[in-house]
Amino acid sequence: MYLWIKAAHIISLIAWMAAMLYLPRLFVYHAGLPAGSPQGETFKVMERRLAKAIMLPGLIATWIFGIALAVMSGVYTQGWLHAKVALVLAMSGIHGWLSRMVKDFAADRNTRSPKFYRVLNEVPTLLMILIVILVVVKPF
């Protein structure tokens, strides 16, 4: 059963990360449009659907399967996992922030530039790289 849960964890993570990497890219293009434009309204739908149908289920499933793996394998006492959990908590915080931005865009309350979202787009990538290194290398 462990390998099935591990596979489900990886699949969930891929879905979550795909959304976490794509949503800020949508914001880059949306931020450059005037409020109420037809293209902006299309972006609102895309952002909401991405956040609700892919990003949120990916987050929930990643956490559920990840906790199950930690308990089943007994690695919850190891330092690398503590560091990974801290980074996944940071990723979850970014997820919450992005979700808030979806609501801001939906209400035409965005005040940030496309450049801000280009930089923000790199944060999940950096966290993901660090998390993968911790899981594969297990440096401590």
Side-chain angles (χ1 to χ4, degrees):
M1 195 64 183
Y2 177 83
L3 292 177
W4 285 104
I5 293 172
K6 189 174 189 178
H9 180 65
I10 293 168
I11 292 165
S12 302
L13 172 65
I14 291 169
W16 184 29
M17 287 309 306
M20 293 283 289
L21 298 172
Y22 187 47
L23 189 57
R25 180 55 45 189
L26 289 176
F27 292 160
V28 168
Y29 302 124
H30 193 172
L33 298 172
S37 70
Q39 297 91 349
E41 295 304 311
T42 300
F43 276 109
K44 289 177 186 180
V45 172
M46 293 170 65
E47 292 157 0
R48 185 187 78 247
R49 288 182 179 167
L50 182 63
K52 298 281 185 191
I54 298 173
M55 197 166 79
L56 182 58
L59 164 90
I60 293 167
T62 298
W63 272 101
I64 289 170
F65 294 127
I67 291 168
L69 288 172
V71 171
M72 290 173 77
S73 65
V75 298
Y76 51 85
T77 61
Q78 297 182 14
W80 69 267
L81 183 65
H82 297 168
K84 176 192 174 187
V85 169
L87 294 173
V88 174
L89 283 168
M91 186 79 77
S92 298
I94 298 293
H95 172 115
W97 193 27
L98 292 174
S99 297
R100 179 69 195 150
M101 290 175 190
V102 168
K103 292 177 183 176
D104 288 342
F105 272 107
D108 293 323
R109 290 190 308 253
N110 176 55
T111 58
R112 296 181 174 94
S113 71
K115 184 176 181 179
F116 172 84
Y117 295 110
R118 279 189 187 92
V119 173
L120 176 62
N121 196 42
E122 303 308 321
V123 175
T125 304
L126 294 173
L127 289 171
M128 179 188 62
I129 289 167
L130 293 172
I131 291 166
V132 169
I133 289 170
L134 285 169
V135 171
V136 173
V137 178
K138 295 178 179 61
F140 46 90

